[in-house]
Amino acid sequence: MRILITGVGGFVGGHLARHLQQAVPDAELHGTILPGTSGPVGVISHTLDLKDEAAVHDLIAHVQPEQLYHLA
């Protein structure tokens, strides 16, 4: 299962990522982060400006998430 979390570098995003790592250990976690920041360990981070519509479409097409949590 692939899961995408927007805003994974934030306070709530980090907590959600850790929860999902325990609850769904076989999930492939992806998350969006702001330039110059990092995401939690074990999450595939994607630097992305969510105001860039084309970049958002490209990321979703690339990751093909089965679940999406929008925290940004």
Side-chain angles (χ1 to χ4, degrees):
M1 171 185 301
R2 284 175 307 282
I3 299 172
L4 176 61
I5 305 169
T6 64
V8 77
F11 179 76
V12 175
H15 284 284
L16 177 60
R18 284 188 292 281
H19 169 74
L20 290 171
Q21 288 169 334
Q22 292 176 354
V24 191
D26 60 332
E28 181 179 296
L29 297 180
H30 292 260
T32 65
I33 58 172
L34 295 172
T37 64
S38 60
V41 173
V43 176
I44 302 166
S45 296
H46 304 272
T47 303
L48 180 73
D49 178 355
L50 291 176
K51 296 179 285 185
D52 183 343
E53 185 177 348
V56 171
H57 284 280
D58 290 345
L59 178 64
I60 291 173
H62 172 73
V63 173
Q64 297 183 358
E66 296 165 80
Q67 292 182 13
L68 186 139
Y69 296 89
H70 181 53
L71 304 176

